[in-house]
Each structure stands twice: as structure tokens, then as C-alpha cells.
PDB file of all heavy atoms in Angstrom:
ATOM      1  N   ILE A   1     114.035 109.848 100.261  1.00  0.00           N
ATOM      2  CA  ILE A   1     114.298 108.568  99.594  1.00  0.00           C
ATOM      3  C   ILE A   1     114.243 107.434 100.616  1.00  0.00           C
ATOM      4  O   ILE A   1     114.993 107.434 101.595  1.00  0.00           O
ATOM      5  CB  ILE A   1     115.681 108.588  98.917  1.00  0.00           C
ATOM      6  CG1 ILE A   1     115.786 109.754  97.939  1.00  0.00           C
ATOM      7  CG2 ILE A   1     115.972 107.255  98.233  1.00  0.00           C
ATOM      8  CD1 ILE A   1     117.201 110.079  97.517  1.00  0.00           C
ATOM      9  N   GLY A   2     113.368 106.487 100.385  1.00  0.00           N
ATOM     10  CA  GLY A   2     113.282 105.327 101.267  1.00  0.00           C
ATOM     11  C   GLY A   2     114.041 104.149 100.691  1.00  0.00           C
ATOM     12  O   GLY A   2     114.009 103.918  99.476  1.00  0.00           O
ATOM     13  N   VAL A   3     114.750 103.442 101.551  1.00  0.00           N
ATOM     14  CA  VAL A   3     115.443 102.224 101.119  1.00  0.00           C
ATOM     15  C   VAL A   3     114.489 101.071 101.395  1.00  0.00           C
ATOM     16  O   VAL A   3     114.402 100.558 102.508  1.00  0.00           O
ATOM     17  CB  VAL A   3     116.769 102.037 101.890  1.00  0.00           C
ATOM     18  CG1 VAL A   3     117.544 100.846 101.330  1.00  0.00           C
ATOM     19  CG2 VAL A   3     117.613 103.291 101.816  1.00  0.00           C
ATOM     20  N   GLU A   4     113.753 100.695 100.361  1.00  0.00           N
ATOM     21  CA  GLU A   4     112.683  99.709 100.561  1.00  0.00           C
ATOM     22  C   GLU A   4     112.300  99.080  99.233  1.00  0.00           C
ATOM     23  O   GLU A   4     112.369  99.715  98.176  1.00  0.00           O
ATOM     24  CB  GLU A   4     111.468 100.401 101.187  1.00  0.00           C
ATOM     25  CG  GLU A   4     110.378  99.467 101.657  1.00  0.00           C
ATOM     26  CD  GLU A   4     110.814  98.557 102.790  1.00  0.00           C
ATOM     27  OE1 GLU A   4     110.723  98.939 103.967  1.00  0.00           O
ATOM     28  OE2 GLU A   4     111.277  97.439 102.452  1.00  0.00           O
ATOM     29  N   GLN A   5     111.882  97.807  99.288  1.00  0.00           N
ATOM     30  CA  GLN A   5     111.375  97.111  98.116  1.00  0.00           C
ATOM     31  C   GLN A   5     109.865  97.309  98.055  1.00  0.00           C
ATOM     32  O   GLN A   5     109.139  96.831  98.921  1.00  0.00           O
ATOM     33  CB  GLN A   5     111.705  95.617  98.196  1.00  0.00           C
ATOM     34  CG  GLN A   5     113.199  95.315  98.210  1.00  0.00           C
ATOM     35  CD  GLN A   5     113.501  93.837  98.452  1.00  0.00           C
ATOM     36  OE1 GLN A   5     112.640  93.089  98.871  1.00  0.00           O
ATOM     37  NE2 GLN A   5     114.725  93.436  98.199  1.00  0.00           N
ATOM     38  N   THR A   6     109.425  98.042  97.051  1.00  0.00           N
ATOM     39  CA  THR A   6     107.996  98.254  96.857  1.00  0.00           C
ATOM     40  C   THR A   6     107.661  98.006  95.389  1.00  0.00           C
ATOM     41  O   THR A   6     108.554  97.818  94.555  1.00  0.00           O
ATOM     42  CB  THR A   6     107.572  99.694  97.227  1.00  0.00           C
ATOM     43  OG1 THR A   6     108.130 100.604  96.264  1.00  0.00           O
ATOM     44  CG2 THR A   6     108.033 100.068  98.622  1.00  0.00           C
ATOM     45  N   ALA A   7     106.377  98.045  95.066  1.00  0.00           N
ATOM     46  CA  ALA A   7     105.951  97.813  93.684  1.00  0.00           C
ATOM     47  C   ALA A   7     106.469  98.900  92.742  1.00  0.00           C
ATOM     48  O   ALA A   7     106.641  98.660  91.546  1.00  0.00           O
ATOM     49  CB  ALA A   7     104.429  97.749  93.622  1.00  0.00           C
ATOM     50  N   LYS A   8     106.759 100.080  93.284  1.00  0.00           N
ATOM     51  CA  LYS A   8     107.178 101.206  92.439  1.00  0.00           C
ATOM     52  C   LYS A   8     108.624 101.644  92.720  1.00  0.00           C
ATOM     53  O   LYS A   8     109.024 102.718  92.289  1.00  0.00           O
ATOM     54  CB  LYS A   8     106.235 102.393  92.642  1.00  0.00           C
ATOM     55  CG  LYS A   8     104.799 102.116  92.223  1.00  0.00           C
ATOM     56  CD  LYS A   8     103.926 103.346  92.428  1.00  0.00           C
ATOM     57  CE  LYS A   8     102.483 103.074  92.004  1.00  0.00           C
ATOM     58  NZ  LYS A   8     101.619 104.273  92.193  1.00  0.00           N
ATOM     59  N   SER A   9     109.370 100.831  93.422  1.00  0.00           N
ATOM     60  CA  SER A   9     110.732 101.237  93.781  1.00  0.00           C
ATOM     61  C   SER A   9     111.654 101.212  92.563  1.00  0.00           C
ATOM     62  O   SER A   9     111.477 100.423  91.638  1.00  0.00           O
ATOM     63  CB  SER A   9     111.295 100.347  94.890  1.00  0.00           C
ATOM     64  OG  SER A   9     111.305  98.997  94.495  1.00  0.00           O
ATOM     65  N   PHE A  10     112.655 102.110  92.581  1.00  0.00           N
ATOM     66  CA  PHE A  10     113.649 102.201  91.522  1.00  0.00           C
ATOM     67  C   PHE A  10     114.838 101.303  91.827  1.00  0.00           C
ATOM     68  O   PHE A  10     115.236 101.150  92.992  1.00  0.00           O
ATOM     69  CB  PHE A  10     114.148 103.646  91.391  1.00  0.00           C
ATOM     70  CG  PHE A  10     113.199 104.566  90.687  1.00  0.00           C
ATOM     71  CD1 PHE A  10     112.137 105.134  91.386  1.00  0.00           C
ATOM     72  CD2 PHE A  10     113.348 104.875  89.350  1.00  0.00           C
ATOM     73  CE1 PHE A  10     111.245 105.989  90.753  1.00  0.00           C
ATOM     74  CE2 PHE A  10     112.467 105.726  88.699  1.00  0.00           C
ATOM     75  CZ  PHE A  10     111.405 106.287  89.409  1.00  0.00           C
ATOM     76  N   ASP A  11     115.414 100.747  90.803  1.00  0.00           N
ATOM     77  CA  ASP A  11     116.658  99.983  90.935  1.00  0.00           C
ATOM     78  C   ASP A  11     117.790 100.974  91.236  1.00  0.00           C
ATOM     79  O   ASP A  11     117.907 102.018  90.580  1.00  0.00           O
ATOM     80  CB  ASP A  11     116.929  99.255  89.618  1.00  0.00           C
ATOM     81  CG  ASP A  11     118.098  98.280  89.721  1.00  0.00           C
ATOM     82  OD1 ASP A  11     119.175  98.693  90.210  1.00  0.00           O
ATOM     83  OD2 ASP A  11     117.946  97.131  89.291  1.00  0.00           O
ATOM     84  N   LEU A  12     118.593 100.668  92.240  1.00  0.00           N
ATOM     85  CA  LEU A  12     119.684 101.560  92.632  1.00  0.00           C
ATOM     86  C   LEU A  12     120.614 101.876  91.469  1.00  0.00           C
ATOM     87  O   LEU A  12     121.119 102.989  91.362  1.00  0.00           O
ATOM     88  CB  LEU A  12     120.481 100.935  93.784  1.00  0.00           C
ATOM     89  CG  LEU A  12     121.730 101.691  94.243  1.00  0.00           C
ATOM     90  CD1 LEU A  12     121.377 103.092  94.710  1.00  0.00           C
ATOM     91  CD2 LEU A  12     122.460 100.919  95.342  1.00  0.00           C
ATOM     92  N   THR A  13     120.820 100.902  90.584  1.00  0.00           N
ATOM     93  CA  THR A  13     121.749 101.117  89.470  1.00  0.00           C
ATOM     94  C   THR A  13     121.193 102.096  88.431  1.00  0.00           C
ATOM     95  O   THR A  13     121.931 102.559  87.564  1.00  0.00           O
ATOM     96  CB  THR A  13     122.077  99.780  88.765  1.00  0.00           C
ATOM     97  OG1 THR A  13     120.870  99.223  88.223  1.00  0.00           O
ATOM     98  CG2 THR A  13     122.690  98.795  89.751  1.00  0.00           C
ATOM     99  N   GLU A  14     119.910 102.408  88.523  1.00  0.00           N
ATOM    100  CA  GLU A  14     119.288 103.298  87.542  1.00  0.00           C
ATOM    101  C   GLU A  14     118.832 104.623  88.147  1.00  0.00           C
ATOM    102  O   GLU A  14     118.310 105.491  87.435  1.00  0.00           O
ATOM    103  CB  GLU A  14     118.084 102.594  86.894  1.00  0.00           C
ATOM    104  CG  GLU A  14     118.468 101.302  86.175  1.00  0.00           C
ATOM    105  CD  GLU A  14     117.252 100.526  85.693  1.00  0.00           C
ATOM    106  OE1 GLU A  14     116.114 100.934  86.035  1.00  0.00           O
ATOM    107  OE2 GLU A  14     117.435  99.518  84.990  1.00  0.00           O
ATOM    108  N   TYR A  15     119.028 104.774  89.445  1.00  0.00           N
ATOM    109  CA  TYR A  15     118.504 105.976  90.115  1.00  0.00           C
ATOM    110  C   TYR A  15     119.573 107.067  90.194  1.00  0.00           C
ATOM    111  O   TYR A  15     120.728 106.799  90.546  1.00  0.00           O
ATOM    112  CB  TYR A  15     118.014 105.638  91.527  1.00  0.00           C
ATOM    113  CG  TYR A  15     117.404 106.822  92.231  1.00  0.00           C
ATOM    114  CD1 TYR A  15     116.173 107.338  91.817  1.00  0.00           C
ATOM    115  CD2 TYR A  15     118.061 107.445  93.288  1.00  0.00           C
ATOM    116  CE1 TYR A  15     115.607 108.437  92.448  1.00  0.00           C
ATOM    117  CE2 TYR A  15     117.503 108.546  93.916  1.00  0.00           C
ATOM    118  CZ  TYR A  15     116.281 109.038  93.490  1.00  0.00           C
ATOM    119  OH  TYR A  15     115.729 110.132  94.105  1.00  0.00           O
ATOM    120  N   CYS A  16     119.173 108.294  89.870  1.00  0.00           N
ATOM    121  CA  CYS A  16     120.076 109.449  89.966  1.00  0.00           C
ATOM    122  C   CYS A  16     119.707 110.255  91.203  1.00  0.00           C
ATOM    123  O   CYS A  16     118.604 110.804  91.289  1.00  0.00           O
ATOM    124  CB  CYS A  16     119.979 110.320  88.720  1.00  0.00           C
ATOM    125  SG  CYS A  16     120.589 109.530  87.220  1.00  0.00           S
ATOM    126  N   PHE A  17     120.621 110.330  92.141  1.00  0.00           N
ATOM    127  CA  PHE A  17     120.363 111.042  93.393  1.00  0.00           C
ATOM    128  C   PHE A  17     120.377 112.551  93.183  1.00  0.00           C
ATOM    129  O   PHE A  17     121.325 113.094  92.607  1.00  0.00           O
ATOM    130  CB  PHE A  17     121.413 110.674  94.440  1.00  0.00           C
ATOM    131  CG  PHE A  17     121.248 109.309  95.020  1.00  0.00           C
ATOM    132  CD1 PHE A  17     121.848 108.213  94.422  1.00  0.00           C
ATOM    133  CD2 PHE A  17     120.503 109.111  96.177  1.00  0.00           C
ATOM    134  CE1 PHE A  17     121.711 106.942  94.958  1.00  0.00           C
ATOM    135  CE2 PHE A  17     120.359 107.851  96.716  1.00  0.00           C
ATOM    136  CZ  PHE A  17     120.961 106.754  96.105  1.00  0.00           C
ATOM    137  N   PRO A  18     119.355 113.252  93.669  1.00  0.00           N
ATOM    138  CA  PRO A  18     119.419 114.714  93.684  1.00  0.00           C
ATOM    139  C   PRO A  18     120.506 115.156  94.673  1.00  0.00           C
ATOM    140  O   PRO A  18     120.877 114.397  95.577  1.00  0.00           O
ATOM    141  CB  PRO A  18     118.035 115.135  94.186  1.00  0.00           C
ATOM    142  CG  PRO A  18     117.176 113.928  94.044  1.00  0.00           C
ATOM    143  CD  PRO A  18     118.072 112.747  94.191  1.00  0.00           C
ATOM    144  N   GLU A  19     120.994 116.374  94.492  1.00  0.00           N
ATOM    145  CA  GLU A  19     122.037 116.854  95.399  1.00  0.00           C
ATOM    146  C   GLU A  19     121.550 116.885  96.842  1.00  0.00           C
ATOM    147  O   GLU A  19     122.250 116.476  97.760  1.00  0.00           O
ATOM    148  CB  GLU A  19     122.490 118.255  94.982  1.00  0.00           C
ATOM    149  CG  GLU A  19     123.624 118.790  95.842  1.00  0.00           C
ATOM    150  CD  GLU A  19     124.127 120.127  95.381  1.00  0.00           C
ATOM    151  OE1 GLU A  19     123.709 120.585  94.303  1.00  0.00           O
ATOM    152  OE2 GLU A  19     124.932 120.736  96.106  1.00  0.00           O
ATOM    153  N   LYS A  20     120.323 117.362  97.057  1.00  0.00           N
ATOM    154  CA  LYS A  20     119.755 117.387  98.404  1.00  0.00           C
ATOM    155  C   LYS A  20     118.903 116.133  98.588  1.00  0.00           C
ATOM    156  O   LYS A  20     117.740 116.086  98.182  1.00  0.00           O
ATOM    157  CB  LYS A  20     118.932 118.660  98.620  1.00  0.00           C
ATOM    158  CG  LYS A  20     119.764 119.934  98.544  1.00  0.00           C
ATOM    159  CD  LYS A  20     118.947 121.181  98.849  1.00  0.00           C
ATOM    160  CE  LYS A  20     118.654 121.291 100.339  1.00  0.00           C
ATOM    161  NZ  LYS A  20     118.064 122.616 100.684  1.00  0.00           N
ATOM    162  N   SER A  21     119.514 115.106  99.142  1.00  0.00           N
ATOM    163  CA  SER A  21     118.854 113.812  99.325  1.00  0.00           C
ATOM    164  C   SER A  21     118.772 113.464 100.800  1.00  0.00           C
ATOM    165  O   SER A  21     119.760 113.600 101.532  1.00  0.00           O
ATOM    166  CB  SER A  21     119.615 112.705  98.592  1.00  0.00           C
ATOM    167  OG  SER A  21     119.516 112.838  97.199  1.00  0.00           O
ATOM    168  N   LEU A  22     117.610 113.009 101.228  1.00  0.00           N
ATOM    169  CA  LEU A  22     117.444 112.481 102.580  1.00  0.00           C
ATOM    170  C   LEU A  22     117.167 110.997 102.456  1.00  0.00           C
ATOM    171  O   LEU A  22     116.216 110.581 101.790  1.00  0.00           O
ATOM    172  CB  LEU A  22     116.301 113.191 103.304  1.00  0.00           C
ATOM    173  CG  LEU A  22     116.067 112.772 104.761  1.00  0.00           C
ATOM    174  CD1 LEU A  22     115.493 113.944 105.570  1.00  0.00           C
ATOM    175  CD2 LEU A  22     115.128 111.562 104.873  1.00  0.00           C
ATOM    176  N   LEU A  23     118.013 110.201 103.075  1.00  0.00           N
ATOM    177  CA  LEU A  23     117.935 108.745 102.980  1.00  0.00           C
ATOM    178  C   LEU A  23     117.282 108.197 104.243  1.00  0.00           C
ATOM    179  O   LEU A  23     117.828 108.316 105.338  1.00  0.00           O
ATOM    180  CB  LEU A  23     119.354 108.190 102.828  1.00  0.00           C
ATOM    181  CG  LEU A  23     119.523 106.729 102.425  1.00  0.00           C
ATOM    182  CD1 LEU A  23     118.906 106.481 101.067  1.00  0.00           C
ATOM    183  CD2 LEU A  23     121.001 106.377 102.427  1.00  0.00           C
ATOM    184  N   LEU A  24     116.094 107.628 104.108  1.00  0.00           N
ATOM    185  CA  LEU A  24     115.388 107.040 105.247  1.00  0.00           C
ATOM    186  C   LEU A  24     115.586 105.532 105.247  1.00  0.00           C
ATOM    187  O   LEU A  24     115.196 104.841 104.301  1.00  0.00           O
ATOM    188  CB  LEU A  24     113.898 107.375 105.191  1.00  0.00           C
ATOM    189  CG  LEU A  24     113.045 106.755 106.312  1.00  0.00           C
ATOM    190  CD1 LEU A  24     113.437 107.318 107.679  1.00  0.00           C
ATOM    191  CD2 LEU A  24     111.560 106.976 106.049  1.00  0.00           C
ATOM    192  N   LEU A  25     116.180 105.027 106.315  1.00  0.00           N
ATOM    193  CA  LEU A  25     116.423 103.590 106.464  1.00  0.00           C
ATOM    194  C   LEU A  25     115.356 102.978 107.360  1.00  0.00           C
ATOM    195  O   LEU A  25     114.919 103.590 108.333  1.00  0.00           O
ATOM    196  CB  LEU A  25     117.810 103.363 107.072  1.00  0.00           C
ATOM    197  CG  LEU A  25     118.978 103.929 106.251  1.00  0.00           C
ATOM    198  CD1 LEU A  25     120.267 103.877 107.048  1.00  0.00           C
ATOM    199  CD2 LEU A  25     119.132 103.177 104.946  1.00  0.00           C
ATOM    200  N   GLY A  26     114.973 101.742 107.033  1.00  0.00           N
ATOM    201  CA  GLY A  26     113.921 101.079 107.788  1.00  0.00           C
ATOM    202  C   GLY A  26     114.440 100.351 109.019  1.00  0.00           C
ATOM    203  O   GLY A  26     115.644 100.201 109.229  1.00  0.00           O
ATOM    204  N   ASN A  27     113.501  99.880 109.814  1.00  0.00           N
ATOM    205  CA  ASN A  27     113.808  99.078 110.994  1.00  0.00           C
ATOM    206  C   ASN A  27     114.364  97.719 110.570  1.00  0.00           C
ATOM    207  O   ASN A  27     114.043  97.211 109.488  1.00  0.00           O
ATOM    208  CB  ASN A  27     112.547  98.890 111.831  1.00  0.00           C
ATOM    209  CG  ASN A  27     112.775  97.998 113.030  1.00  0.00           C
ATOM    210  OD1 ASN A  27     112.499  96.807 112.980  1.00  0.00           O
ATOM    211  ND2 ASN A  27     113.294  98.575 114.107  1.00  0.00           N
ATOM    212  N   GLU A  28     115.201  97.130 111.439  1.00  0.00           N
ATOM    213  CA  GLU A  28     115.854  95.866 111.111  1.00  0.00           C
ATOM    214  C   GLU A  28     114.865  94.755 110.753  1.00  0.00           C
ATOM    215  O   GLU A  28     115.146  93.910 109.903  1.00  0.00           O
ATOM    216  CB  GLU A  28     116.721  95.386 112.292  1.00  0.00           C
ATOM    217  CG  GLU A  28     117.990  96.163 112.489  1.00  0.00           C
ATOM    218  CD  GLU A  28     117.836  97.337 113.443  1.00  0.00           C
ATOM    219  OE1 GLU A  28     116.679  97.747 113.721  1.00  0.00           O
ATOM    220  OE2 GLU A  28     118.848  97.864 113.908  1.00  0.00           O
ATOM    221  N   HIS A  29     113.706  94.748 111.400  1.00  0.00           N
ATOM    222  CA  HIS A  29     112.757  93.645 111.182  1.00  0.00           C
ATOM    223  C   HIS A  29     111.560  94.045 110.332  1.00  0.00           C
ATOM    224  O   HIS A  29     111.062  93.255 109.534  1.00  0.00           O
ATOM    225  CB  HIS A  29     112.260  93.117 112.536  1.00  0.00           C
ATOM    226  CG  HIS A  29     113.364  92.631 113.431  1.00  0.00           C
ATOM    227  ND1 HIS A  29     114.104  91.505 113.147  1.00  0.00           N
ATOM    228  CD2 HIS A  29     113.869  93.137 114.584  1.00  0.00           C
ATOM    229  CE1 HIS A  29     115.019  91.324 114.099  1.00  0.00           C
ATOM    230  NE2 HIS A  29     114.898  92.295 114.974  1.00  0.00           N
ATOM    231  N   GLU A  30     111.087  95.264 110.489  1.00  0.00           N
ATOM    232  CA  GLU A  30     109.839  95.673 109.855  1.00  0.00           C
ATOM    233  C   GLU A  30     110.038  96.592 108.657  1.00  0.00           C
ATOM    234  O   GLU A  30     109.067  96.919 107.957  1.00  0.00           O
ATOM    235  CB  GLU A  30     108.949  96.369 110.894  1.00  0.00           C
ATOM    236  CG  GLU A  30     108.624  95.469 112.086  1.00  0.00           C
ATOM    237  CD  GLU A  30     108.022  96.247 113.241  1.00  0.00           C
ATOM    238  OE1 GLU A  30     107.857  97.478 113.099  1.00  0.00           O
ATOM    239  OE2 GLU A  30     107.731  95.636 114.283  1.00  0.00           O
ATOM    240  N   GLY A  31     111.248  97.030 108.409  1.00  0.00           N
ATOM    241  CA  GLY A  31     111.479  97.954 107.304  1.00  0.00           C
ATOM    242  C   GLY A  31     110.892  99.318 107.595  1.00  0.00           C
ATOM    243  O   GLY A  31     110.851  99.770 108.738  1.00  0.00           O
ATOM    244  N   ILE A  32     110.408  99.978 106.556  1.00  0.00           N
ATOM    245  CA  ILE A  32     109.773 101.288 106.711  1.00  0.00           C
ATOM    246  C   ILE A  32     108.268 101.089 106.854  1.00  0.00           C
ATOM    247  O   ILE A  32     107.634 100.492 105.977  1.00  0.00           O
ATOM    248  CB  ILE A  32     110.066 102.198 105.496  1.00  0.00           C
ATOM    249  CG1 ILE A  32     111.573 102.413 105.352  1.00  0.00           C
ATOM    250  CG2 ILE A  32     109.357 103.543 105.647  1.00  0.00           C
ATOM    251  CD1 ILE A  32     111.970 103.199 104.119  1.00  0.00           C
ATOM    252  N   PRO A  33     107.669 101.573 107.936  1.00  0.00           N
ATOM    253  CA  PRO A  33     106.222 101.378 108.122  1.00  0.00           C
ATOM    254  C   PRO A  33     105.404 102.088 107.053  1.00  0.00           C
ATOM    255  O   PRO A  33     105.826 103.087 106.469  1.00  0.00           O
ATOM    256  CB  PRO A  33     105.957 101.973 109.512  1.00  0.00           C
ATOM    257  CG  PRO A  33     107.142 102.804 109.839  1.00  0.00           C
ATOM    258  CD  PRO A  33     108.290 102.269 109.068  1.00  0.00           C
ATOM    259  N   ALA A  34     104.205 101.561 106.808  1.00  0.00           N
ATOM    260  CA  ALA A  34     103.342 102.063 105.727  1.00  0.00           C
ATOM    261  C   ALA A  34     103.025 103.542 105.889  1.00  0.00           C
ATOM    262  O   ALA A  34     102.946 104.276 104.899  1.00  0.00           O
ATOM    263  CB  ALA A  34     102.055 101.247 105.683  1.00  0.00           C
ATOM    264  N   ASN A  35     102.842 104.001 107.125  1.00  0.00           N
ATOM    265  CA  ASN A  35     102.476 105.407 107.317  1.00  0.00           C
ATOM    266  C   ASN A  35     103.600 106.356 106.898  1.00  0.00           C
ATOM    267  O   ASN A  35     103.347 107.511 106.545  1.00  0.00           O
ATOM    268  CB  ASN A  35     102.086 105.665 108.773  1.00  0.00           C
ATOM    269  CG  ASN A  35     103.276 105.600 109.719  1.00  0.00           C
ATOM    270  OD1 ASN A  35     103.999 104.598 109.740  1.00  0.00           O
ATOM    271  ND2 ASN A  35     103.482 106.651 110.491  1.00  0.00           N
TER     272      ASN A  35
END
């Protein structure tokens, strides 16, 4: 799961986390790189 604003991102208030979730946080300035 990426914490990022994208064209297909889910609203946090509507997202159901799976039990096994990996949360990827972006860089302070650049966010999560495209790759």
C-alpha cells in the first residue's frame, strides 16, 4: 500500500486494510518515485 495521491488512489475513509498490509511512505519532497 502506497501513501500517495494518484489518479487511481483510494480515499482512506473508504479503504479496508487487509490483515497483512505493508505501508510504503514516500520521500519528504518527492513522494513515492514512479518506478
Side-chain angles (χ1 to χ4, degrees):
I1 304 164
V3 186
E4 190 64 87
Q5 297 173 345
T6 69
K8 297 181 180 180
S9 58
F10 283 82
D11 188 310
L12 175 59
T13 62
E14 300 173 353
Y15 183 70
C16 293
F17 286 89
E19 183 176 352
K20 296 184 74 170
S21 291
L22 183 150
L23 192 61
L24 177 65
L25 300 170
N27 177 264
E28 287 91 344
H29 302 292
E30 301 167 0
I32 300 175
N35 70 306

